[in-house]
Amino acid sequence: LIVTFHGPDRRETVRFGGPPPPNSTAVFFQKEGDPKVYLAGQEVYAAYDKSALALRQRQLVRYNPHKVVRVEIEKRFERRGKDQPRTVEYERSTLERLEGADLGWWLTKPHRERLDDLKVMQLVTGLAALPIDDWRPAGNLNAQGFAEPSDKVSIWLHGSDKPYTVLFGDDTDT
């Protein structure tokens, strides 16, 4: 196992050797450019002996929930007319955290209505903490339900014009 650390003006490489003698819980390693061989606990080796997938972030999006000022939720629905092809549309709801006299979370589209601050913050916090169980190659996005996702959630942070957007695929046959 070879581990290389990169810094602004520095590069360090450590090479782990074979296992130490029996009944030992240590491993051999050597720093590049240093002829000495060192001994470290097996936990040092175990910390680096991981696949790239094991090191991936297990959180879908990272943001501070208290900085969210706007949320858009788009929910898919289908229209089927007699002798007409199926059409997919999205119902969009916009939630905004307002200041001043209207302090708190409000539904601003499709109509105006005061919302429960706690429930909106649970939604915002839940999305920020949404765990990832596994990864798949992107592959065929249509087959994974992303051509017409069932839900789209976009989150805007204070001072940002660009949202975080999460698409939830549809696993139903269409």
Side-chain angles (χ1 to χ4, degrees):
L1 175 66
I2 299 171
V3 179
T4 302
F5 302 92
H6 295 272
D9 298 322
R10 193 172 157 180
R11 181 176 167 249
E12 300 281 343
T13 299
V14 176
R15 299 175 190 277
F16 289 91
N23 300 325
S24 175
T25 59
V27 294
F28 294 118
F29 73 95
Q30 186 177 37
K31 182 178 167 190
E32 190 174 81
D34 184 349
K36 295 178 191 156
V37 174
Y38 298 93
L39 210 56
Q42 218 165 11
E43 65 278 1
V44 173
Y45 177 82
Y48 296 107
D49 187 27
K50 298 184 180 344
S51 70
L53 287 177
L55 299 173
R56 291 184 86 173
Q57 174 65 256
R58 295 215 174 254
Q59 190 175 352
L60 185 60
V61 289
R62 292 183 64 136
Y63 60 86
N64 292 323
H66 70 279
K67 292 186 176 184
V68 174
V69 294
R70 180 173 159 202
V71 178
E72 279 188 5
I73 301 171
E74 297 180 60
K75 191 100 177 124
R76 186 185 76 196
F77 66 94
E78 298 177 8
R79 290 194 192 271
R80 294 180 193 260
K82 186 176 179 180
D83 301 325
Q84 302 246 341
R86 171 184 78 92
T87 60
V88 172
E89 296 180 35
Y90 287 89
E91 176 184 10
R92 179 181 294 174
S93 299
T94 302
L95 295 63
E96 294 184 69
R97 191 177 74 201
L98 303 179
E99 301 293 329
D102 292 334
L103 182 65
W105 282 97
W106 288 77
L107 177 68
T108 56
K109 290 179 187 170
H111 61 274
R112 188 172 169 87
E113 178 182 336
R114 179 74 166 100
L115 299 174
D116 183 323
D117 291 343
L118 180 60
K119 288 181 181 176
V120 175
M121 283 311 295
Q122 286 173 334
L123 168 77
V124 167
T125 304
L127 189 62
L130 191 64
I132 298 171
D133 290 332
D134 196 7
W135 293 267
R136 306 279 159 92
N140 182 346
L141 294 179
N142 291 346
Q144 294 170 334
F146 291 109
E148 297 170 344
S150 63
D151 295 294
K152 299 176 190 178
V153 180
S154 297
I155 303 272
W156 280 263
L157 301 182
H158 178 74
S160 176
D161 293 336
K162 186 177 178 188
Y164 290 99
T165 300
V166 177
L167 305 178
F168 292 91
D170 185 16
D171 60 0
T172 61
D173 294 328
T174 53

Coordinates of all heavy atoms in Angstrom, one line a residue, residues 80-156:
R80 N -54.1 12.5 -18.6 CA -54.5 11.6 -19.7 C -55.9 12.0 -20.2 O -56.8 11.9 -19.5 CB -54.5 10.2 -19.2 CG -53.2 9.6 -18.8 CD -53.4 8.1 -18.3 NE -52.2 7.7 -17.7 CZ -51.3 6.9 -18.2 NH1 -51.4 6.6 -19.5 NH2 -50.2 6.5 -17.5
G81 N -55.9 12.5 -21.4 CA -57.2 12.8 -22.0 C -57.7 11.7 -22.8 O -56.9 10.8 -23.2
K82 N -59.0 11.7 -23.1 CA -59.5 10.6 -23.9 C -58.9 10.7 -25.3 O -58.9 11.8 -25.9 CB -61.0 10.8 -24.0 CG -61.7 9.7 -24.8 CD -63.2 9.8 -24.7 CE -63.8 8.7 -25.5 NZ -65.2 8.7 -25.5
D83 N -58.3 9.6 -25.8 CA -57.7 9.5 -27.1 C -56.5 10.5 -27.2 O -56.2 11.0 -28.3 CB -58.7 9.7 -28.2 CG -59.8 8.7 -28.2 OD1 -59.5 7.5 -27.8 OD2 -60.9 9.1 -28.5
Q84 N -55.9 10.9 -26.1 CA -54.8 11.8 -26.1 C -53.6 11.1 -25.5 O -53.7 10.3 -24.6 CB -55.1 13.1 -25.3 CG -56.3 13.8 -25.8 CD -55.9 15.1 -26.4 OE1 -54.9 15.6 -26.1 NE2 -56.8 15.7 -27.2
P85 N -52.4 11.4 -25.9 CA -51.2 10.8 -25.2 C -51.0 11.3 -23.8 O -51.5 12.4 -23.4 CB -50.0 11.2 -26.1 CG -50.5 12.5 -26.8 CD -52.0 12.4 -26.9
R86 N -50.4 10.5 -23.0 CA -50.1 10.9 -21.6 C -49.1 12.1 -21.6 O -48.2 12.1 -22.4 CB -49.4 9.7 -20.9 CG -48.9 10.0 -19.6 CD -48.2 8.8 -19.0 NE -46.9 8.6 -19.5 CZ -45.8 9.1 -19.0 NH1 -45.8 9.8 -17.9 NH2 -44.6 8.9 -19.5
T87 N -49.4 13.1 -20.8 CA -48.5 14.2 -20.6 C -48.1 14.3 -19.1 O -48.9 14.1 -18.3 CB -49.1 15.5 -21.1 OG1 -50.3 15.8 -20.3 CG2 -49.4 15.5 -22.6
V88 N -46.8 14.6 -18.9 CA -46.3 14.8 -17.6 C -46.2 16.2 -17.3 O -45.6 17.0 -18.1 CB -45.0 14.0 -17.4 CG1 -44.3 14.4 -16.1 CG2 -45.1 12.6 -17.6
E89 N -46.7 16.6 -16.1 CA -46.5 18.0 -15.7 C -46.1 18.0 -14.2 O -46.1 17.0 -13.5 CB -47.9 18.7 -15.8 CG -48.4 18.9 -17.2 CD -49.7 19.6 -17.3 OE1 -49.9 20.5 -16.5 OE2 -50.5 19.2 -18.2
Y90 N -45.6 19.2 -13.8 CA -45.2 19.3 -12.4 C -45.9 20.4 -11.7 O -46.1 21.5 -12.2 CB -43.7 19.6 -12.3 CG -42.8 18.4 -12.7 CD1 -42.5 18.1 -14.0 CD2 -42.4 17.5 -11.7 CE1 -41.7 17.0 -14.3 CE2 -41.7 16.4 -12.0 CZ -41.3 16.2 -13.4 OH -40.6 15.1 -13.7
E91 N -46.4 20.1 -10.5 CA -47.0 21.1 -9.6 C -45.9 21.7 -8.8 O -45.2 21.0 -8.1 CB -48.1 20.5 -8.7 CG -48.7 21.5 -7.8 CD -49.7 20.9 -6.8 OE1 -49.8 19.6 -6.8 OE2 -50.3 21.6 -6.1
R92 N -45.7 23.0 -8.9 CA -44.6 23.7 -8.2 C -45.1 24.5 -7.0 O -46.0 25.3 -7.2 CB -43.8 24.6 -9.1 CG -42.7 25.3 -8.4 CD -41.9 26.3 -9.3 NE -41.2 25.5 -10.4 CZ -40.6 26.0 -11.4 NH1 -40.5 27.3 -11.5 NH2 -40.0 25.2 -12.2
S93 N -44.5 24.2 -5.9 CA -44.8 25.0 -4.7 C -43.5 25.7 -4.3 O -42.4 25.1 -4.2 CB -45.2 24.1 -3.5 OG -46.4 23.4 -3.9
T94 N -43.6 27.0 -4.0 CA -42.4 27.8 -3.5 C -42.6 28.2 -2.1 O -43.7 28.8 -1.7 CB -42.2 29.0 -4.4 OG1 -42.1 28.6 -5.8 CG2 -41.0 29.8 -4.0
L95 N -41.7 27.9 -1.2 CA -41.7 28.2 0.2 C -40.6 29.2 0.4 O -39.4 29.0 -0.1 CB -41.4 27.0 1.0 CG -42.4 25.8 1.0 CD1 -42.6 25.2 -0.3 CD2 -42.1 24.8 2.1
E96 N -40.9 30.3 1.1 CA -39.9 31.3 1.3 C -39.8 31.7 2.8 O -40.9 31.9 3.4 CB -40.1 32.6 0.5 CG -39.9 32.3 -1.0 CD -40.1 33.5 -1.9 OE1 -39.2 34.4 -1.8 OE2 -41.1 33.6 -2.6
R97 N -38.6 32.0 3.3 CA -38.5 32.5 4.7 C -38.5 34.0 4.6 O -37.6 34.6 4.0 CB -37.2 31.9 5.3 CG -37.2 32.2 6.8 CD -36.0 31.7 7.5 NE -34.8 32.5 7.1 CZ -33.6 32.1 7.1 NH1 -33.3 30.8 7.5 NH2 -32.6 32.9 6.8
L98 N -39.5 34.6 5.1 CA -39.7 36.1 5.0 C -39.2 36.7 6.3 O -39.1 36.1 7.4 CB -41.1 36.4 4.7 CG -41.7 35.8 3.4 CD1 -43.2 36.2 3.3 CD2 -40.9 36.2 2.2
E99 N -38.8 38.0 6.1 CA -38.4 38.8 7.3 C -39.5 39.9 7.6 O -40.5 40.0 6.8 CB -37.1 39.5 6.9 CG -35.9 38.5 6.6 CD -35.5 37.7 7.8 OE1 -35.6 38.2 8.9 OE2 -35.1 36.6 7.6
G100 N -39.2 40.7 8.6 CA -40.1 41.8 8.9 C -41.4 41.4 9.5 O -41.4 40.4 10.3
A101 N -42.5 42.0 9.2 CA -43.8 41.7 9.8 C -44.3 40.3 9.5 O -45.0 39.7 10.3 CB -44.9 42.7 9.3
D102 N -43.9 39.8 8.3 CA -44.3 38.4 8.0 C -43.2 37.4 8.3 O -43.1 36.3 7.6 CB -44.5 38.3 6.4 CG -45.7 39.1 6.0 OD1 -46.6 39.3 6.9 OD2 -45.8 39.6 4.9
L103 N -42.5 37.6 9.4 CA -41.4 36.7 9.8 C -41.8 35.3 9.8 O -42.8 34.9 10.4 CB -40.9 37.1 11.2 CG -39.7 36.4 11.7 CD1 -38.4 36.6 10.8 CD2 -39.4 36.8 13.1
G104 N -41.0 34.4 9.2 CA -41.2 33.0 9.2 C -41.4 32.4 7.8 O -41.1 33.1 6.8
W105 N -41.8 31.1 7.7 CA -41.9 30.4 6.4 C -43.3 30.6 5.9 O -44.3 30.4 6.6 CB -41.6 29.0 6.6 CG -40.1 28.7 6.7 CD1 -39.4 28.6 7.8 CD2 -39.2 28.6 5.6 NE1 -38.0 28.4 7.5 CE2 -37.9 28.4 6.1 CE3 -39.4 28.7 4.2 CZ2 -36.8 28.2 5.3 CZ3 -38.2 28.5 3.4 CH2 -37.0 28.3 3.9
W106 N -43.3 31.0 4.6 CA -44.6 31.2 3.9 C -44.6 30.4 2.5 O -43.6 30.3 1.9 CB -44.8 32.7 3.5 CG -45.1 33.5 4.7 CD1 -44.2 33.9 5.7 CD2 -46.4 34.0 5.1 NE1 -44.9 34.7 6.6 CE2 -46.2 34.7 6.3 CE3 -47.6 33.9 4.5 CZ2 -47.3 35.4 6.9 CZ3 -48.7 34.5 5.1 CH2 -48.5 35.2 6.3
L107 N -45.7 29.9 2.2 CA -45.9 29.4 0.8 C -46.2 30.6 0.0 O -47.2 31.3 0.3 CB -47.1 28.4 0.8 CG -47.5 27.9 -0.6 CD1 -46.4 26.9 -1.1 CD2 -48.8 27.1 -0.5
T108 N -45.4 30.9 -1.0 CA -45.7 32.1 -1.8 C -46.2 31.7 -3.2 O -46.7 32.6 -3.9 CB -44.4 32.9 -2.0 OG1 -43.3 32.1 -2.5 CG2 -43.9 33.4 -0.6
K109 N -46.1 30.5 -3.7 CA -46.6 30.0 -4.9 C -47.1 28.6 -4.7 O -46.4 27.8 -4.1 CB -45.6 30.1 -6.1 CG -45.2 31.5 -6.5 CD -44.2 31.4 -7.6 CE -43.7 32.8 -7.9 NZ -42.5 32.9 -8.7
P110 N -48.2 28.2 -5.2 CA -49.1 28.8 -6.2 C -50.1 29.8 -5.5 O -50.8 30.6 -6.2 CB -49.9 27.6 -6.7 CG -49.9 26.6 -5.6 CD -48.6 26.8 -4.9
H111 N -50.1 29.9 -4.2 CA -50.9 30.9 -3.5 C -50.1 31.3 -2.2 O -49.1 30.7 -1.9 CB -52.3 30.4 -3.2 CG -52.3 29.2 -2.3 ND1 -52.2 27.9 -2.8 CD2 -52.4 29.1 -0.9 CE1 -52.2 27.1 -1.7 NE2 -52.3 27.8 -0.6
R112 N -50.6 32.3 -1.5 CA -49.9 32.7 -0.3 C -50.5 32.2 1.0 O -51.8 32.3 1.1 CB -49.9 34.3 -0.3 CG -49.0 34.9 0.8 CD -48.9 36.4 0.6 NE -48.3 37.0 1.7 CZ -47.0 37.2 1.9 NH1 -46.2 36.8 1.0 NH2 -46.6 37.8 3.0
E113 N -49.7 31.6 1.8 CA -50.2 31.0 3.0 C -49.1 30.8 4.0 O -48.0 30.5 3.7 CB -50.8 29.6 2.7 CG -51.3 28.8 3.8 CD -51.8 27.4 3.4 OE1 -52.2 27.2 2.2 OE2 -51.8 26.5 4.3
R114 N -49.4 31.1 5.3 CA -48.4 30.9 6.4 C -48.2 29.5 6.6 O -49.1 28.7 6.6 CB -48.9 31.6 7.7 CG -48.0 31.5 8.9 CD -46.8 32.4 8.7 NE -46.1 32.6 9.9 CZ -45.0 31.9 10.3 NH1 -44.4 31.1 9.4 NH2 -44.4 32.2 11.4
L115 N -46.9 29.0 6.8 CA -46.6 27.6 7.0 C -46.1 27.4 8.4 O -45.7 28.4 9.1 CB -45.5 27.2 6.0 CG -45.9 27.3 4.5 CD1 -44.7 27.0 3.7 CD2 -47.1 26.4 4.2
D116 N -46.0 26.2 8.8 CA -45.5 25.8 10.1 C -44.0 25.8 10.0 O -43.4 25.0 9.4 CB -46.0 24.4 10.5 CG -45.6 23.9 11.9 OD1 -44.5 24.2 12.3 OD2 -46.4 23.2 12.5
D117 N -43.3 26.7 10.7 CA -41.9 26.9 10.7 C -41.2 25.6 11.0 O -40.2 25.2 10.4 CB -41.4 28.0 11.6 CG -41.8 29.4 11.1 OD1 -42.2 29.5 10.0 OD2 -41.8 30.3 12.0
L118 N -41.6 24.9 12.0 CA -41.0 23.7 12.5 C -41.0 22.6 11.4 O -40.0 21.9 11.1 CB -41.6 23.2 13.8 CG -41.0 21.9 14.3 CD1 -39.5 22.0 14.7 CD2 -41.8 21.4 15.6
K119 N -42.2 22.4 10.7 CA -42.3 21.4 9.7 C -41.4 21.7 8.5 O -40.8 20.9 7.9 CB -43.8 21.3 9.3 CG -44.6 20.6 10.3 CD -46.0 20.4 9.9 CE -46.8 19.7 11.0 NZ -48.2 19.7 10.6
V120 N -41.3 23.0 8.1 CA -40.5 23.4 7.0 C -39.0 23.1 7.4 O -38.2 22.6 6.6 CB -40.7 24.8 6.6 CG1 -39.7 25.2 5.5 CG2 -42.1 25.1 6.1
M121 N -38.6 23.5 8.6 CA -37.2 23.3 9.0 C -36.9 21.8 9.1 O -35.8 21.4 8.8 CB -36.9 24.0 10.3 CG -36.7 25.5 10.1 SD -35.5 25.9 8.8 CE -34.0 25.3 9.4
Q122 N -37.9 21.0 9.4 CA -37.7 19.5 9.4 C -37.4 19.0 8.0 O -36.6 18.2 7.8 CB -38.9 18.8 10.0 CG -38.9 18.9 11.5 CD -40.2 18.4 12.1 OE1 -41.3 18.3 11.5 NE2 -40.1 18.0 13.4
L123 N -38.1 19.5 7.0 CA -37.9 19.2 5.6 C -36.5 19.6 5.2 O -35.8 18.8 4.6 CB -39.0 19.9 4.7 CG -38.7 19.8 3.2 CD1 -39.0 18.5 2.7 CD2 -39.5 20.9 2.5
V124 N -36.2 20.8 5.5 CA -34.9 21.4 5.1 C -33.7 20.6 5.8 O -32.7 20.3 5.1 CB -34.8 22.9 5.4 CG1 -33.4 23.4 5.3 CG2 -35.7 23.7 4.5
T125 N -33.8 20.3 7.0 CA -32.8 19.6 7.8 C -32.8 18.2 7.3 O -31.7 17.6 7.2 CB -33.1 19.7 9.3 OG1 -33.2 21.1 9.7 CG2 -32.0 19.0 10.1
G126 N -33.9 17.6 7.1 CA -34.0 16.2 6.6 C -33.2 16.0 5.3 O -32.5 15.0 5.1
L127 N -33.4 17.0 4.4 CA -32.7 16.9 3.1 C -31.2 17.0 3.3 O -30.4 16.3 2.6 CB -33.3 17.9 2.1 CG -32.8 17.8 0.7 CD1 -33.2 16.5 0.1 CD2 -33.3 18.9 -0.2
A128 N -30.8 17.9 4.2 CA -29.4 18.1 4.4 C -28.8 16.9 5.1 O -27.6 16.6 4.9 CB -29.2 19.3 5.4
A129 N -29.5 16.1 5.8 CA -29.0 14.9 6.4 C -29.3 13.6 5.7 O -29.1 12.5 6.2 CB -29.6 14.8 7.8
L130 N -29.9 13.7 4.5 CA -30.3 12.5 3.7 C -29.1 11.6 3.5 O -28.2 12.0 2.8 CB -30.9 13.0 2.4 CG -31.6 11.9 1.6 CD1 -32.9 11.4 2.3 CD2 -32.1 12.5 0.2
P131 N -29.1 10.4 4.0 CA -27.9 9.6 3.9 C -27.9 8.8 2.5 O -29.0 8.6 1.9 CB -28.1 8.5 5.0 CG -29.6 8.4 5.2 CD -30.1 9.8 4.8
I132 N -26.8 8.5 2.1 CA -26.6 7.7 0.9 C -26.2 6.3 1.3 O -25.2 6.1 2.1 CB -25.5 8.3 0.0 CG1 -25.8 9.7 -0.4 CG2 -25.2 7.4 -1.2 CD1 -24.7 10.4 -1.1
D133 N -26.9 5.3 0.8 CA -26.6 3.9 1.2 C -25.6 3.3 0.2 O -24.8 2.5 0.5 CB -27.9 3.0 1.2 CG -28.7 3.4 2.4 OD1 -28.2 3.9 3.4 OD2 -30.0 3.2 2.3
D134 N -25.8 3.6 -1.1 CA -25.0 3.0 -2.1 C -24.9 3.9 -3.3 O -25.7 4.9 -3.4 CB -25.7 1.7 -2.6 CG -24.7 0.8 -3.3 OD1 -23.5 1.1 -3.4 OD2 -25.2 -0.2 -3.9
W135 N -24.0 3.7 -4.3 CA -23.8 4.5 -5.5 C -23.9 3.5 -6.7 O -23.5 2.4 -6.6 CB -22.4 5.1 -5.5 CG -22.2 6.2 -4.5 CD1 -22.5 7.5 -4.6 CD2 -21.8 6.0 -3.1 NE1 -22.2 8.1 -3.5 CE2 -21.8 7.2 -2.5 CE3 -21.4 4.9 -2.4 CZ2 -21.3 7.4 -1.2 CZ3 -21.0 5.1 -1.1 CH2 -21.0 6.3 -0.5
R136 N -24.4 4.1 -7.7 CA -24.5 3.3 -9.0 C -23.9 4.2 -10.1 O -24.1 5.4 -10.0 CB -26.0 3.0 -9.3 CG -26.7 2.3 -8.3 CD -26.4 0.8 -8.3 NE -26.7 0.1 -7.1 CZ -27.8 -0.5 -6.8 NH1 -28.8 -0.5 -7.6 NH2 -28.0 -1.1 -5.6
P137 N -23.4 3.6 -11.1 CA -23.0 4.5 -12.2 C -24.2 5.1 -12.8 O -25.3 4.6 -12.8 CB -22.4 3.5 -13.2 CG -22.2 2.2 -12.5 CD -23.1 2.2 -11.3
A138 N -24.1 6.3 -13.4 CA -25.2 7.0 -13.9 C -26.0 6.2 -14.9 O -27.2 6.1 -14.8 CB -24.8 8.4 -14.5
G139 N -25.3 5.6 -15.8 CA -26.0 4.7 -16.8 C -27.1 5.4 -17.5 O -27.0 6.5 -17.9
N140 N -28.2 4.6 -17.7 CA -29.3 5.1 -18.4 C -30.3 5.8 -17.4 O -31.0 5.2 -16.7 CB -30.1 3.9 -19.1 CG -31.3 4.3 -19.9 OD1 -31.8 5.4 -19.8 ND2 -31.8 3.4 -20.7
L141 N -30.2 7.1 -17.5 CA -31.0 7.9 -16.6 C -32.5 7.7 -16.7 O -33.3 7.7 -15.8 CB -30.7 9.4 -16.7 CG -29.3 9.8 -16.3 CD1 -29.0 11.3 -16.5 CD2 -29.0 9.4 -14.9
N142 N -33.0 7.4 -17.9 CA -34.4 7.1 -18.2 C -34.8 5.9 -17.4 O -35.8 5.8 -16.8 CB -34.7 6.9 -19.7 CG -34.6 8.2 -20.4 OD1 -34.5 9.3 -19.8 ND2 -34.5 8.1 -21.7
A143 N -34.0 4.8 -17.5 CA -34.3 3.6 -16.8 C -34.2 3.8 -15.2 O -34.9 3.0 -14.5 CB -33.3 2.5 -17.2
Q144 N -33.5 4.8 -14.8 CA -33.4 5.0 -13.3 C -34.5 6.0 -12.9 O -34.5 6.4 -11.7 CB -32.0 5.5 -13.0 CG -31.0 4.4 -13.2 CD -29.6 4.9 -13.1 OE1 -29.3 6.0 -13.3 NE2 -28.7 4.0 -12.7
G145 N -35.4 6.4 -13.8 CA -36.5 7.2 -13.4 C -36.2 8.7 -13.4 O -37.0 9.5 -12.8
F146 N -35.1 9.2 -14.0 CA -34.8 10.6 -14.0 C -35.2 11.4 -15.2 O -35.1 12.6 -15.3 CB -33.3 10.8 -13.8 CG -32.9 10.4 -12.4 CD1 -32.1 9.2 -12.2 CD2 -33.3 11.1 -11.3 CE1 -31.8 8.9 -10.9 CE2 -33.0 10.7 -10.0 CZ -32.2 9.6 -9.8
A147 N -35.8 10.7 -16.3 CA -36.3 11.5 -17.4 C -37.5 12.3 -16.9 O -37.7 13.4 -17.4 CB -36.7 10.5 -18.5
E148 N -38.3 11.7 -16.1 CA -39.4 12.4 -15.5 C -39.5 12.0 -14.0 O -40.2 11.2 -13.6 CB -40.7 11.9 -16.2 CG -40.8 12.2 -17.7 CD -41.9 11.5 -18.4 OE1 -42.5 10.6 -17.8 OE2 -42.2 12.0 -19.5
P149 N -38.6 12.7 -13.2 CA -38.5 12.3 -11.8 C -39.8 12.6 -11.1 O -40.6 13.4 -11.5 CB -37.4 13.2 -11.3 CG -37.2 14.3 -12.3 CD -37.7 13.8 -13.6
S150 N -40.0 11.8 -10.0 CA -41.3 11.9 -9.3 C -41.3 13.2 -8.5 O -42.4 13.8 -8.3 CB -41.5 10.7 -8.4 OG -40.5 10.6 -7.4
D151 N -40.1 13.6 -8.0 CA -40.0 14.9 -7.2 C -38.8 15.6 -7.5 O -37.7 15.0 -7.8 CB -40.1 14.6 -5.7 CG -41.4 14.0 -5.3 OD1 -42.4 14.7 -5.3 OD2 -41.4 12.8 -4.8
K152 N -38.8 16.9 -7.4 CA -37.6 17.8 -7.5 C -37.7 18.7 -6.4 O -38.7 19.3 -6.1 CB -37.6 18.6 -8.8 CG -37.7 17.8 -10.1 CD -37.8 18.7 -11.3 CE -38.0 18.0 -12.6 NZ -38.2 19.0 -13.7
V153 N -36.6 18.8 -5.6 CA -36.5 19.7 -4.5 C -35.3 20.6 -4.7 O -34.2 20.1 -4.9 CB -36.4 19.0 -3.2 CG1 -36.3 20.0 -2.0 CG2 -37.6 18.0 -3.0
S154 N -35.5 21.9 -4.7 CA -34.4 22.9 -4.9 C -34.4 23.8 -3.6 O -35.4 24.2 -3.1 CB -34.6 23.8 -6.1 OG -34.6 23.0 -7.3
I155 N -33.2 24.0 -3.2 CA -32.9 24.8 -1.9 C -32.0 25.9 -2.2 O -30.9 25.7 -2.8 CB -32.2 23.8 -0.9 CG1 -33.0 22.6 -0.6 CG2 -31.8 24.6 0.4 CD1 -34.0 22.7 0.5
W156 N -32.4 27.1 -1.9 CA -31.5 28.3 -2.0 C -31.0 28.8 -0.7 O -31.8 28.9 0.3 CB -32.3 29.5 -2.6 CG -32.5 29.4 -4.1 CD1 -31.8 30.0 -5.0 CD2 -33.5 28.7 -4.8 NE1 -32.3 29.7 -6.3 CE2 -33.3 28.9 -6.2 CE3 -34.6 27.9 -4.4 CZ2 -34.2 28.4 -7.2 CZ3 -35.4 27.3 -5.4 CH2 -35.2 27.6 -6.7

